[in-house]
């Protein structure tokens, strides 16, 4: 270690002595305020000890009234208390030095490299080990230049630096030497002067004396764990180099001290030989308590830890063993007294009960704690240092056996002691774990009973408080024993074999003990006012009894001197000044009884001294028979006084688990094994977590940096434990949320699984219940109720119980404070539950890259939310609000268009909804996996020829699935998906705009010569990227179809949950005023109505809003749009188009082109009109500003202008649609003369669907170019499961057109057909030849006869002015059963009687044979 670090560590060169005051006779003057300079120990002088601080200044004058002898007697108490604190400081510094040196093992043949690199000692192994080997010889006599010349030269060059690094640790040795002198003098003085140290007569002085005795042993044993010889020799060597050969002033005294304690136990044997008889008496006195502490069967049977009286159960206060219950609170201290006492005073084992007392502890103990995690292998130490002493005693007794019986008995006793010590280690290794496990089980039961009893009867806690302290102390002893023995390796008594201590770290009893201690301590803190009140009442009565005893005849006859009487009266005065609970005036100020305790300790020290004229024995004899002596009353009052103002100190004394900091790795391991094990209890987590609060208590004032280190480690432990607890909480939630949990209770078959199950049942013979068995893929509902599955139900019940218990405990647990860190477990619980819900949501959305069905996701989220609601019932928090916040955070990606203001920024989020939206765009809209996704109008879903990954498109892109998506993510999720669709739509519309501009000249040529075949073909050949245009248009229709499904799902969800709001938007969309252009406020509301499915013109509004952003849209070139899509009718894509009556669409999704055309024609016209209106308004404004004359109709009323504008828009859109139908019909019907006429049926059906989609395309407009009978025959043949072919009877196309004209109420110009009549077959032979060349439909089509369609009501084909949308039906598929089939052959005699025959007065038109087989009913003229 560097000198700078040492300076910051210790602050000054000496630890607790003054260099100028130290001498051989330093401690011979105890009357001095600080006889040995101990005020530098970091804890102050004896009068600065915490126990004296509050009372030391109040009655300073009283101590001056005592004579010199009495002052010396009372100061011994102060020295005992203070020297114990000094011992703690010394052991803390020794422990720090060991940490710096790397915890070396000096019994090893060679020290590790970390020892030499620590910086405390010079890195000169040869030189250092040589001076240690030659100790105590002076370094100057060792001829070190022969050992390591280079090392000695290095030492001479760096002597000052090395000396500065060693100096702080050298003065630790000086501190040890002075402490040994002072503590030994106090121990010897007390041992020789105190009348009695029995626990029944003088417990206060006994505990102080034995505390100093054990501290003295610990310090000297700890000192053997540092290189004392090396530090002393190397420091003196550098000192002689710097001081010209002069030794360090304390060198020779330190050499003598270190040499005498070279083997510390031998030194202790020599130093404490004088006090050995007194130690033996003390250990004999505590023997009954030791035997009781290890006999847990007796403890249970006689009720030592039971609040009930063992012989009188009706008595709720246990007064059977008051003294013994008080002793049990110190059982851990008694065990240390026994082990340390017999270790340093081995001759006391030869007493009558000595070996029995020692064996009772040695059977259950393998290691003895010295300081923190430093332990002593007690059996090895006994065999190495105690057995030789016993052998020596045996040898002496054997030599004197011939002289008498006493020597013979002593020999037999020594022989028995030797045998027991040799055998006890094997017994301890084999049985200690089982014995302590039984102890823990007993304490677990007793603590559980105490918690239940005192929670139900809190008024009985105060009378039994000492018994509660005893239970807490015994549980603490067992817990510390367990962790101090984990991982310990001990040697065998015979041979050099070693064996590890095998402890079961999964033993759940540790958690029960910690939980019981924590609950009892919580009860004590909760009812501290009641305990104080009871204690004050007891002290008031004790004061009256003490005054009566002072005035008794026996006490008067003793003739107590003035000094002792003054101390008695001072203590009595403190008791009589206590506030009376019965008085009206309630004293709220805290009661301080430290003055009483100080006076009573001084009194006990005086009466305990053999030199005092009045001692304890005199006071006991002066007591009346049957009465408690004044000493017993005072000792009991001292004990109860601590319940008034030192309740926290007592809790720390009996229940502090701060030592577990040094075993925190084992603590964490045991916690993980026992927390959620088969017998573990998650509700014990609060007790495990509360351990962190005690960790900083290990810090000592002599090392200020320890506090920050311990606090940091405590924080790390608490955080790791909280994470483990919350991980267990998440594990319990996940168990319940798994398919083996709540999922097994609501097994439901999907429609596909149900169909497979029905098919399986239909194929088997016999009772279905016997034939059909559940499979892993399709478990039958109700299987969880079968007896063979009862274990899973029990597992669920256990998981629910653990979850509820854990949440209840976390909710009730008080915040854990570690310095400036505060941990609130209930808040952690809420955060982890919400994070687990968020993780569950994000994990189940995608399964191996494939989107999970939204209905399945919704069901699993509802299952997870049911678990959260279960937690919510047992915690005082609103978990439902947290779930809503999580769903909102996962759905909110930004401000909603048309609702939120544009200004202001918002944070990013919405990972879950973004994942879903991106998957829909990539796989449904873009079809990046080439699964041939098409839109099915009848099923209202998207279907795919191949699976998308492992799922079909219809399982995730159905209106039912979108409804589940909307219910989960709400309006923000819908807005995100709508925005993604809008982005794709804008991209494709921009491509269409580019295509229009690149084909401007070709389109103008087509428009000019559309009815001239040559010019039209020339224009078609000049068109560029026609296939690209079709793909873009199909994508636009695809997107519009998806958005229509989304809007329909939104409408259904809103109508089901908020019908009033939905009806409000529906009525608004019907009656909202229209204007060109729309006002911003109305436009936002209309766009919102289209997004939620409350408007009819959804596609037009969406495309219009996108085209507004496309700068070129709406100009003169967009007027060529109909001719551009007329060219699409010549595409090769029609060759692969196959219409399906099951989907209502085409196999290659070409039906989406109609949705694109409908929306694009109307939206482009709206944009053009809006821009024209804006231009007109701008011109009008300029004219007003310049004063020129306004144009005509500028001052027209707004209502009239809006009506005219709207009518003009409608007219223009209809004209565009009419132009498209007219030109498309011309091109299609010309194909009848071509060799390849297969796409004609698809084109005809497409135009019919276009008529159904667009309200701007009346059916009479379509019938002017395509006779409805053709379409009717096509659909009828589809439903008759035949190959559709055009079979006209005898009439040509022109005759058909003329014959249809009167019946439809509209006039047809024959010239509109252009070249159709020229290429149409006119005779039956021609028709037969056309038919014989092959069907115009490519290949036969097979349809299932099980699908039936509902009849649609007849439509008025002649109503051209109807502006509303026609009844919702895609043209084509109708219900045709066997009773409605008709014959198509001319003059067929097998025609059905249901065929309508025209009246005789009106000649029947010769049309394509059909009845009511088409999508529209025709009336015959």
């Amino acid at each position: 270690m560097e000198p700078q670090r040492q300076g910051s560590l210790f602050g000054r060169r000496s630890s607790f002595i003054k260099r100028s005051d130290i001498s051989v006779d330093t401690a011979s003057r105890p009357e001095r305020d600080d006889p040995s300079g101990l005020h530098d120990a970091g804890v102050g002088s004896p009068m600065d000890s915490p126990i004296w601080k509050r009372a030391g200044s109040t009655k300073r004058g009283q101590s001056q009234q005592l004579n010199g002898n009495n002052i010396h007697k009372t100061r011994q108490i102060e020295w005992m208390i203070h020297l114990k604190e000094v011992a703690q400081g010394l052991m803390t510094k020794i422990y720090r030095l060991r940490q710096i040196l790397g915890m070396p093992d000096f019994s090893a043949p060679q020290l590790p490299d970390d020892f030499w690199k620590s910086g405390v000692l010079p890195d000169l192994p040869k030189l250092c080990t040589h001076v240690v080997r030659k100790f105590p010889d002076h370094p100057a006599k060792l001829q070190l230049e022969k050992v390591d010349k280079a090392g000695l030269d290095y030492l001479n060059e760096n002597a000052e630096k090395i000396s500065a690094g060693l100096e702080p640790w050298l003065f630790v040795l000086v501190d040890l030497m002075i402490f040994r002198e002072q503590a030994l003098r106090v121990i010897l003085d007390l041992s020789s002067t105190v009348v009695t140290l029995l626990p029944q007569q003088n417990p206060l002085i006994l505990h102080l004396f034995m505390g100093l005795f054990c501290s003295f042993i610990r310090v000297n044993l700890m000192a053997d764990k540092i290189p004392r010889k090396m530090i002393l020799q190397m420091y003196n060597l550098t000192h002689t180099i710097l001081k010209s050969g002069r030794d360090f002033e304390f060198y020779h005294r330190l050499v003598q001290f270190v040499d005498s304690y070279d083997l510390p136990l031998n030194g202790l044997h020599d130093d404490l030989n004088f006090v050995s008889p007194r130690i033996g008496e003390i250990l004999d006195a505590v023997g009954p308590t030791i035997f009781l502490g290890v006999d847990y069967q007796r403890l249970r049977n006689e009720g030592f830890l039971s609040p009930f009286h063992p012989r009188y159960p009706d008595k709720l206060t246990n007064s059977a063993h008051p003294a013994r219950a008080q002793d049990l609170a110190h059982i851990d201290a008694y065990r240390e007294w026994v082990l340390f006492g017999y270790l340093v005073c081995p001759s006391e084992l030869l007493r009558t009960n000595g070996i029995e007392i020692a064996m009772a502890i040695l059977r259950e103990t393998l290691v003895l704690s010295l300081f923190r995690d430093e332990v002593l292998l007690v059996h090895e130490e006994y065999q190495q240092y105690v057995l030789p002493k016993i052998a020596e005693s045996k040898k002496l007794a054997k030599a004197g056996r011939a002289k008498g019986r006493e020597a013979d008995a002593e020999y037999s006793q020594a022989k028995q002691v030797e045998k027991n010590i040799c055998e006890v280690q094997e017994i301890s290794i084999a049985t200690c774990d089982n014995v302590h496990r039984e102890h823990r089980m007993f304490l677990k039961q007793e603590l559980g009973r105490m918690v239940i009893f005192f929670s139900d009867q809190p008024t009985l806690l105060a009378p039994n408080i000492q018994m509660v302290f005893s239970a807490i102390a015994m549980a603490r002893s067992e817990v510390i024993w367990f962790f101090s023995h984990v991982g310990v390796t001990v040697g065998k008594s015979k041979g050099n074999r070693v064996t590890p201590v095998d402890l079961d770290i999964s033993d759940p009893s540790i958690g029960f003990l910690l939980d019981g201690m924590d609950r009892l301590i919580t009860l004590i803190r909760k009812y501290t006012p009641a305990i104080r009140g009871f204690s004050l009442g007891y002290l008031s009565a004790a004061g009256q009894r003490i005054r009566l005893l002072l005035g008794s005849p026996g006490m008067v006859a003793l003739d107590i001197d003035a000094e002792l009487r003054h101390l008695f009266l001072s203590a009595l005065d403190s008791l009589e000044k206590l506030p009376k609970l019965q008085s009206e005036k309630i004293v709220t100020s805290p009661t301080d009884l430290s003055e009483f305790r100080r006076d009573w300790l001084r009194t006990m020290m005086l009466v305990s001294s053999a030199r005092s004229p009045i001692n304890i024995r005199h006071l006991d004899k002066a007591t009346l028979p049957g009465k408690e002596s004044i000493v017993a009353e005072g000792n009991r009052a001292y004990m109860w006084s601590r319940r008034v103002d030192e309740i926290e100190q007592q809790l720390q004394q009996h229940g502090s688990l701060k030592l577990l900091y040094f075993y925190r790795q084992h603590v964490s391991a045991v916690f993980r094994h026992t927390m959620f094990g088969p017998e573990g209890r998650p509700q014990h987590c609060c007790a495990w977590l509360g351990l962190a609060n005690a960790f900083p208590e290990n810090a000592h004032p002599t090392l200020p940096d320890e506090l920050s280190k311990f606090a940091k480690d405590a924080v790390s432990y608490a955080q790791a434990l909280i994470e483990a607890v919350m991980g267990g909480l998440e594990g319990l939630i996940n168990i319940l949320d798994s398919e083996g949990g709540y999922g097994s209770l609501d097994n439901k078959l999907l429609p596909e699984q149900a169909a497979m199950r029905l098919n399986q049942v239909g194929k088997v013979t016999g009772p279905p219940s016997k034939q059909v068995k559940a499979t892993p893929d399709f478990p039958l509902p109700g299987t969880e109720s079968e007896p063979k599955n009862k274990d899973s139900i029990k597992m669920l019940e256990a998981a629910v119980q653990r979850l509820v218990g854990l949440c209840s405990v976390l909710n009730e647990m008080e915040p854990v404070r570690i310095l400036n860190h505060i941990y609130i477990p209930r808040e952690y619980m809420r955060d982890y539950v919400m994070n687990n819900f968020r993780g569950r949501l994000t994990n189940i959305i995608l399964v191996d890259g494939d989107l999970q069905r939204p209905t399945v996701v919704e069901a699993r989220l509802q299952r997870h939310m049911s678990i959260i609601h279960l937690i919510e019932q047992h915690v005082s928090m609103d978990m439902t609000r947290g779930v809503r916040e999580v769903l909102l955070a996962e759905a909110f990606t930004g401000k909603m268009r048309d609702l939120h203001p544009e200004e202001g920024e918002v944070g990013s989020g919405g990972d879950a909804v973004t994942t879903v939206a991106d998957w829909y765009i990539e796989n449904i809209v873009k079809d990046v996996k080439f699964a041939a996704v098409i839109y099915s109008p009848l099923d209202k879903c998207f279907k795919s020829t191949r699976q998308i990954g492992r799922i079909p498109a219809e399982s995730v892109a159905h209106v039912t699935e979108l409804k589940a998506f909307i219910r989960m993510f709400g309006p923000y999720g819908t807005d995100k998906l709508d925005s993604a669709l809008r982005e794709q739509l804008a991209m494709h519309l921009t491509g269409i705009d580019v295509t229009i501009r690149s084909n401007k000249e070709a389109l103008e040529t087509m428009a000019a010569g559309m009815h001239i075949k040559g010019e039209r073909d020339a224009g078609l050949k000049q068109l560029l990227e026609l296939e690209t245009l079709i793909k873009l248009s199909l994508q636009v229709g695809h997107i519009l179809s998806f958005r229509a499904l989304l809007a329909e799902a939104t409408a259904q969800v809103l109508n089901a949950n908020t019908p009033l709001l939905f009806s409000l938007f529906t009525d608004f969309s019907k009656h909202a005023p229209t204007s060109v252009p729309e006002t911003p406020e109305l436009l936002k509301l209309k766009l919102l109505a289209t997004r939620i499915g409350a408007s009819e013109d959804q596609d037009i509004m969406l495309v219009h809003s996108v085209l507004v952003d496309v700068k070129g849209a709406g100009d003169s070139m967009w007027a060529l749009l109909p001719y551009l899509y007329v060219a699409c009718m010549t595409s090769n894509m029609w060759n692969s188009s196959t219409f399906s009556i099951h989907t209502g669409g085409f196999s290659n999704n070409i039906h989406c082109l109609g949705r694109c055309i409908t929306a694009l024609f109307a939206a482009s016209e709206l944009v053009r009109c809006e821009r024209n209106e804006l231009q007109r308004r701008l011109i009008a404004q300029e004219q007003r500003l310049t004063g020129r004359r306004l144009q005509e109709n500028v001052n027209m009323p707004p209502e009239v202008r809006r009506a005219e504008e709207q009518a003009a828009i409608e007219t223009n859109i209809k004209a565009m649609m009419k132009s498209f139908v007219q030109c498309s019909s011309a091109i299609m019907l010309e194909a009848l003369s071509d060799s390849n006429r297969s796409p004609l049926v698809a084109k005809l059906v497409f135009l019919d669907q276009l008529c159904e989609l667009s309200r701007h395309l009346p059916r009479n407009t379509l019938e002017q170019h395509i006779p409805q009978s053709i379409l009717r025959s096509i659909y009828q043949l589809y439903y008759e499961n035949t190959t559709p072919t055009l079979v006209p009877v005898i009439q040509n196309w022109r005759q058909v057109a003329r014959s249809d004209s009167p019946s439809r109420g509209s006039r047809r110009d024959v010239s509109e057909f252009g070249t159709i009549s020229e290429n149409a077959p006119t005779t039956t032979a021609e028709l037969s030849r056309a038919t014989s060349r092959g069907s115009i439909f490519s290949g036969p089509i097979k349809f299932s006869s099980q699908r039936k369609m509902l009849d649609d009501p007849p439509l008025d084909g002649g109503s051209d002015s109807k502006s509303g949308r026609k009844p919702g039906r895609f043209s084509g598929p109708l219900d045709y059963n066997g009773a409605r089939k008709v014959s198509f052959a001319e003059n067929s005699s097998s025609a059905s009687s249901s065929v309508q025959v025209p009246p005789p007065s009106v000649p029947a038109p010769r049309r394509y044979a059909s009845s009511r087989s088409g999508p529209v009913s025709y009336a015959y003229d």
Side-chain angles (χ1 to χ4, degrees), residues 170 228-236 251 254-255:
L170 176 79
R228 295 171 295 171
K229 299 176 183 178
M230 195 177 296
I231 292 174
L232 176 59
Q233 293 289 69
M234 296 306 296
Y235 180 80
N236 190 64
Y251 173 70
L254 287 173
V255 168

Side-chain angles (χ1 to χ4, degrees), residues 967-1188:
R967 285 193 296 267
M968 284 188 293
F969 297 105
Y972 290 110
T974 307
D975 181 73
K976 171 60 181 177
L977 185 54
D978 185 81
S979 299
L981 294 172
R982 181 185 175 89
E983 292 176 1
Q984 295 295 319
L985 182 62
M987 180 178 64
H988 291 94
L989 289 179
T990 303
I992 293 175
D993 180 68
V994 172
T995 305
I996 293 175
R997 299 182 184 282
S998 62
N999 293 294
K1000 177 183 178 182
E1001 296 180 358
L1003 291 176
E1004 290 177 347
T1005 303
M1006 279 186 61
M1010 178 56 65
H1011 299 294
I1012 303 174
K1013 184 176 182 346
E1015 296 182 3
R1016 184 175 66 239
D1017 293 341
L1020 289 174
K1021 293 179 181 180
Q1022 295 177 8
L1023 290 177
L1024 303 175
E1025 300 180 353
L1026 184 60
E1027 298 299 329
T1028 302
L1029 172 66
I1030 294 180
K1031 292 180 180 179
L1032 291 175
S1033 301
L1034 289 181
Q1035 282 293 314
V1036 170
H1038 202 71
I1039 294 171
L1040 293 177
S1041 300
F1042 193 95
R1043 190 181 181 276
L1045 278 184
L1046 182 63
E1048 182 178 353
T1050 306
Q1052 294 182 15
V1053 172
L1054 285 178
N1055 195 25
N1057 295 277
T1058 56
L1060 183 61
L1061 180 64
F1062 182 72
S1063 63
L1064 180 65
F1065 274 102
T1066 304
D1067 295 341
F1068 167 78
S1069 62
K1070 290 180 180 179
H1071 305 290
T1074 58
S1075 61
V1076 180
E1078 296 280 3
T1079 58
E1081 292 77 10
L1082 285 177
L1083 181 60
K1084 288 183 178 181
L1085 289 177
K1086 289 183 178 181
L1087 290 175
L1088 181 60
T1090 61
R1091 288 161 59 189
I1092 64 175
S1095 176
E1096 295 181 352
D1097 298 330
Q1098 300 174 15
D1099 297 345
I1100 298 175
M1101 292 295 294
L1102 175 61
V1103 176
H1104 168 262
S1105 63
V1106 175
L1107 288 180
V1108 169
D1109 299 331
V1110 180
K1111 297 181 180 180
D1115 57 9
S1116 58
M1117 282 186 293
W1118 277 73
L1120 301 173
L1121 193 62
Y1123 303 101
L1124 181 64
Y1125 282 103
V1126 167
C1128 294
M1129 303 302 289
T1130 63
S1131 172
N1132 295 327
M1133 186 172 291
W1134 295 98
N1135 297 333
S1136 59
S1137 299
T1138 304
F1139 179 74
S1140 172
I1141 60 173
H1142 296 287
T1143 63
F1146 293 90
S1147 59
N1148 59 354
N1149 218 27
I1150 197 69
H1151 52 277
C1152 290
L1153 180 64
R1155 189 180 289 271
C1156 171
I1157 293 173
T1158 301
L1160 205 57
F1161 283 9
S1164 61
E1165 182 62 23
L1166 283 174
V1167 172
R1168 187 189 65 79
C1169 293
E1170 286 179 355
R1171 292 180 178 175
N1172 291 340
E1173 178 63 20
L1174 290 176
Q1175 184 69 22
R1176 186 195 64 76
R1177 292 180 183 179
L1178 182 61
I1179 295 173
Q1181 185 178 4
E1182 292 178 356
Q1183 291 177 352
R1184 289 193 190 95
L1185 293 176
T1186 57
R1188 291 182 294 176

Side-chain angles (χ1 to χ4, degrees), residues 1290-1349:
I1290 57 173
Q1291 295 175 318
N1292 59 22
W1293 295 99
R1294 192 179 301 274
Q1295 290 173 336
V1296 171
R1298 279 198 297 266
S1299 62
D1300 278 346
S1301 179
S1303 64
R1304 302 303 301 160
S1306 60
R1307 297 182 61 186
R1308 294 188 183 181
D1309 189 358
V1310 178
S1311 62
E1312 290 180 358
F1313 288 92
T1315 60
I1316 297 177
S1317 59
E1318 298 175 1
N1319 297 326
T1322 57
T1323 64
T1324 305
E1326 292 177 352
L1327 287 174
S1328 61
R1329 286 194 300 270
T1331 306
S1332 64
R1333 286 196 298 265
S1335 172
I1336 63 174
F1337 192 82
S1338 58
I1341 304 179
K1342 297 181 180 180
F1343 299 98
S1344 174
S1345 60
Q1346 297 177 357
R1347 188 179 184 99
K1348 295 184 178 181
M1349 306 300 299

Side-chain angles (χ1 to χ4, degrees), residues 789-1086:
N789 297 325
K790 63 181 180 180
D791 293 337
S792 61
I793 301 299
K794 290 182 179 179
M795 183 272 293
L796 283 180
E797 294 176 352
V800 169
Q801 184 178 2
R802 289 193 178 191
L803 178 64
V804 169
L806 177 60
C807 295
S808 300
V809 171
L810 290 176
N811 180 64
E812 297 172 1
M813 184 179 179
E814 295 294 329
V816 178
R817 181 167 185 173
I818 305 173
L819 295 183
N820 58 340
H821 295 266
I822 298 178
Y823 295 94
I824 305 177
R826 60 197 305 269
E827 295 297 330
Y828 275 92
M829 175 179 63
R830 183 183 186 277
D831 293 343
Y832 272 81
V833 170
M834 295 300 105
N835 291 335
N836 185 57
F837 177 73
R838 180 181 291 107
R840 184 66 173 169
L841 173 60
T842 55
N843 290 335
I844 63 178
I845 287 177
L846 291 181
V847 180
D848 297 334
D850 297 330
L851 184 68
Q852 182 64 274
R853 297 179 62 172
T855 52
V856 175
V857 175
E858 183 185 22
R860 293 183 180 178
L861 289 183
Q862 289 176 350
R863 185 174 68 194
H864 195 99
M865 289 174 63
S866 67
I867 300 173
I868 295 178
H869 292 157
L870 175 65
I871 296 175
E872 190 176 22
Q873 295 174 4
H874 298 84
V875 298
S876 56
M877 290 183 292
D878 188 2
M879 291 289 189
T880 305
R881 180 178 180 182
V883 171
R884 291 170 180 163
E885 291 175 354
V886 170
L887 291 175
L888 179 62
E890 293 299 323
F892 183 78
T893 57
K895 295 180 179 180
M896 289 185 64
R897 191 175 65 256
D898 308 328
L899 285 181
H900 290 162
E902 297 296 335
E903 60 272 5
E905 296 182 358
V906 294
S908 60
D911 296 337
V913 74
T914 302
T915 301
V916 178
D918 292 345
W919 193 94
Y920 274 123
I921 294 300
E922 295 294 326
N923 295 278
I924 301 299
V925 176
K926 294 183 178 180
D927 193 14
V928 295
K929 295 183 179 180
F930 304 102
V933 178
I934 63 171
Y935 174 63
S936 175
L938 294 181
D939 296 317
K940 294 184 178 179
C941 70
F942 286 86
K943 293 186 176 182
S944 58
T945 305
R946 295 177 297 276
Q947 289 189 343
I948 304 175
R950 293 185 300 178
I951 59 173
E954 55 267 24
S955 64
V956 293
H958 194 276
V959 67
T960 304
E961 304 297 332
L962 293 177
K963 286 165 61 178
F965 168 81
I966 295 167
R967 285 193 296 267
M968 284 188 293
F969 297 105
Y972 290 110
T974 307
D975 181 73
K976 171 60 181 177
L977 185 54
D978 185 81
S979 299
L981 294 172
R982 181 185 175 89
E983 292 176 1
Q984 295 295 319
L985 182 62
M987 180 178 64
H988 291 94
L989 289 179
T990 303
I992 293 175
D993 180 68
V994 172
T995 305
I996 293 175
R997 299 182 184 282
S998 62
N999 293 294
K1000 177 183 178 182
E1001 296 180 358
L1003 291 176
E1004 290 177 347
T1005 303
M1006 279 186 61
M1010 178 56 65
H1011 299 294
I1012 303 174
K1013 184 176 182 346
E1015 296 182 3
R1016 184 175 66 239
D1017 293 341
L1020 289 174
K1021 293 179 181 180
Q1022 295 177 8
L1023 290 177
L1024 303 175
E1025 300 180 353
L1026 184 60
E1027 298 299 329
T1028 302
L1029 172 66
I1030 294 180
K1031 292 180 180 179
L1032 291 175
S1033 301
L1034 289 181
Q1035 282 293 314
V1036 170
H1038 202 71
I1039 294 171
L1040 293 177
S1041 300
F1042 193 95
R1043 190 181 181 276
L1045 278 184
L1046 182 63
E1048 182 178 353
T1050 306
Q1052 294 182 15
V1053 172
L1054 285 178
N1055 195 25
N1057 295 277
T1058 56
L1060 183 61
L1061 180 64
F1062 182 72
S1063 63
L1064 180 65
F1065 274 102
T1066 304
D1067 295 341
F1068 167 78
S1069 62
K1070 290 180 180 179
H1071 305 290
T1074 58
S1075 61
V1076 180
E1078 296 280 3
T1079 58
E1081 292 77 10
L1082 285 177
L1083 181 60
K1084 288 183 178 181
L1085 289 177
K1086 289 183 178 181

Side-chain angles (χ1 to χ4, degrees), residues 617-809:
R617 294 172 182 172
H618 299 139
L619 295 176
D620 290 341
K621 292 179 180 180
T623 306
L624 295 176
K627 299 288 185 180
E628 291 284 351
S629 67
I630 192 172
V631 174
E633 287 287 353
N635 288 337
R636 196 171 290 110
Y638 182 96
M639 179 187 67
W640 281 102
S641 69
R642 297 192 65 192
R643 315 299 196 251
V644 177
D645 57 350
E646 289 188 354
I647 191 72
E648 285 296 331
Q649 288 85 339
Q650 284 196 296
L651 288 176
Q652 185 175 1
Q653 174 188 352
H654 298 299
S656 176
L657 293 168
K658 62 181 181 180
L659 287 180
L660 295 186
Y661 164 80
F662 303 99
Y663 304 100
R664 59 188 182 278
Q665 293 182 351
H666 298 313
V667 170
S668 300
V670 174
F671 167 78
R672 289 193 298 269
H673 282 84
T674 61
M675 179 72 175
F676 302 103
E679 299 182 13
R681 294 294 185 272
Q683 55 267 31
H684 296 166
C685 65
C686 297
W688 292 93
L689 185 60
L691 297 177
N693 200 19
F695 288 170
E697 297 174 2
N698 291 288
H700 197 273
T702 56
L703 298 177
D705 62 332
E706 274 193 340
L707 181 61
S708 60
K709 180 181 182 300
F710 291 156
K712 182 179 178 180
D713 292 339
V715 169
S716 301
Y717 167 83
Q719 291 177 348
L721 213 63
I722 286 177
E723 291 179 0
V725 172
M726 299 307 162
L729 176 65
E730 292 180 351
L732 290 174
I733 294 175
N734 293 336
I735 288 174
L736 295 178
D737 193 30
S738 64
E739 294 301 325
Y742 281 170
S744 63
L745 301 180
D746 55 354
N747 284 331
K748 296 179 181 179
L749 297 180
L750 298 175
E752 298 84 356
Q753 297 173 345
M756 295 178 64
R757 186 62 71 183
L758 290 174
N759 292 334
Q760 183 182 5
V761 172
K763 292 178 181 178
V764 298
T765 59
S769 60
K770 296 182 179 180
Q771 297 293 334
V772 181
K773 297 182 180 180
T775 61
D777 296 332
F778 308 124
L780 291 176
T783 54
E784 71 278 358
S785 301
E786 297 178 1
K788 64 180 180 180
N789 297 325
K790 63 181 180 180
D791 293 337
S792 61
I793 301 299
K794 290 182 179 179
M795 183 272 293
L796 283 180
E797 294 176 352
V800 169
Q801 184 178 2
R802 289 193 178 191
L803 178 64
V804 169
L806 177 60
C807 295
S808 300
V809 171

